[in-house]
Amino acid sequence: MLRTVRATRYVVPLREGGSLPAIVEADDLGLYVVKFRGAGQGILALIAELLAGDIGRALGLRVPEIVLMEIGAALGRNEPDYEIRQLLQASTGVNLALDYLPGSTMFDPAARDAAPADEASMMVWFDAYTQNIDRTPRNANLLVWHRDLYPIDQGAALFFHHDWPSREKKIASPFAEIEQHVLLPWAKEIAAAAQIAHERLTEPVLRRIVELVPDEWLEAIPGDVGVPERRAGYLDFFVRRLDGSAVFEEEAIRAQSRLV
Ligand SMILES: Nc1ncnc2c1ncn2[C@@H]1O[C@H](COP(=O)(O)OP(=O)(O)OP(=O)(O)O)[C@@H](O)[C@H]1O
Ligand SMILES: [Mg+2]
């Protein structure tokens, strides 16, 4: 189960452009980074963030807690900034939020950040499995907090869902993009990570994760794929990609060995 909180105060935008994520306070007095359903990336980015993020958590990676956040029509009403007011008004309903990690910094190899081999290997396996291209040295989407690594921003994963019929083809993708992964230099134990991943991602676990996606998000996707069909499609993707994981594991191991 995911917790649901209610937004009480828009605190500050995280940065210009992009999906305009923001820090928002909720009725449990927590601070969260919110991915707004009304942002340009649309509802599919929230679904990817939830599905891939929860898979990351099931794999033992430190994805910050994911919660659903209710935004009411009143929240944006008094925002002085027009763009933010528009975004909040377009986002009434259920949004996705991650626990805010105050004082965290972005992982940066150029600043001599490093990662343990087992964790780097699991992160590489995770991003190859969920087909996330957004973990590059230029944009690591990996926070360092109290010296530990926290993957954030899984919104670009599961790219197939932007073109639903491409799912069939994407299930068996070797995911050559893994060669750009920021943690690849440390990922010397991919085979061992794969074994652990297979133990943790059982079908009941994957099924439970797919069931976490709110109906109202699946209903909001344009097109004629029904909600049960979508849910079944995601589960089918995860189960079959796991069954055929050798193809992307071998690709990642090859890419890693080319580095040394
Ligand atoms: N849980 C968090 N705790 C602290 N800071 C965060 C958290 N999540 C995101 N941030 C900060 O906010 C920035 C934007 O977040 P995020 O990468 O999730 O948004 P985005 O719009 O998808 O960005 P982009 O697509 O440009 O990578 C991050 O680079 C990071 O600095
Ligand atoms: Mg990002």
Side-chain angles (χ1 to χ4, degrees):
M1 272 293 283
L2 295 174
R3 291 193 301 127
T4 298
V5 298
R6 225 184 139 68
T8 50
R9 186 167 64 99
Y10 183 93
V11 181
V12 66
L14 274 164
R15 63 157 133 164
E16 306 300 313
S19 64
L20 283 182
I23 300 178
V24 175
E25 189 176 63
D27 57 355
D28 64 349
L29 302 183
L31 291 177
Y32 298 89
V33 172
V34 182
K35 298 302 185 85
F36 295 104
R37 58 182 299 160
Q41 279 80 344
I43 212 104
L44 292 176
L46 276 61
I47 294 174
E49 193 87 64
L50 189 160
L51 289 173
D54 247 295
I55 285 173
R57 290 172 66 86
L59 288 171
L61 298 169
R62 292 184 207 82
V63 178
E65 185 189 358
I66 298 167
V67 301
L68 301 177
M69 184 179 281
E70 288 270 7
I71 291 183
L75 188 73
R77 216 165 269 157
N78 298 319
E79 262 314 311
D81 184 292
Y82 172 77
E83 203 181 353
I84 293 171
R85 200 162 61 239
Q86 288 293 82
L87 179 62
L88 291 176
Q89 276 164 6
S91 300
T92 55
V94 179
N95 295 260
L96 180 136
L98 277 87
D99 193 22
Y100 173 61
L101 311 181
S104 54
T105 56
M106 196 60 79
F107 182 87
D108 182 6
R112 303 230 198 122
D113 280 332
D118 53 350
E119 196 176 352
S121 304
M122 186 60 93
M123 206 86 73
V124 164
W125 190 94
F126 164 55
D127 288 324
Y129 177 57
T130 59
Q131 305 180 348
N132 185 1
I133 52 159
D134 254 358
R135 206 95 60 202
T136 64
R138 201 181 46 79
N139 186 8
N141 288 310
L142 190 60
L143 296 178
V144 181
W145 195 54
H146 297 277
R147 296 182 194 279
D148 283 324
L149 300 179
Y150 290 77
I152 55 157
D153 196 4
Q154 276 66 241
L158 309 178
F159 198 72
F160 73 85
H161 64 179
H162 294 275
D163 175 20
W164 193 250
S166 75
R167 183 170 58 88
E168 201 54 47
K169 239 179 19 228
K170 289 287 170 61
I171 287 173
S173 161
F175 198 64
E177 294 90 332
I178 204 66
E179 68 176 9
Q180 306 287 334
H181 200 285
V182 65
L183 294 185
L184 198 59
W186 293 274
K188 294 174 188 295
E189 300 171 5
I190 293 172
Q195 199 174 344
I196 298 170
H198 277 260
E199 283 161 19
R200 293 184 177 166
L201 295 185
T202 60
E203 189 176 326
V205 167
L206 293 169
R207 188 178 293 277
R208 177 190 61 76
I209 290 172
V210 167
E211 270 159 19
L212 294 174
V213 181
D215 276 341
E216 65 165 274
W217 290 358
L218 296 169
E219 282 158 6
I221 302 170
D224 54 5
V225 184
V227 170
E229 196 188 331
R230 282 241 170 218
R231 231 183 261 286
Y234 282 117
L235 183 61
D236 178 68
F237 176 88
F238 291 132
V239 168
R240 286 168 60 204
R241 185 148 177 82
L242 193 60
D243 284 344
S245 63
V247 67
F248 67 81
E249 290 160 3
E250 283 162 15
E251 178 76 20
I253 290 167
R254 254 198 312 274
Q256 211 287 327
S257 64
R258 278 200 302 267
L259 292 180
V260 287

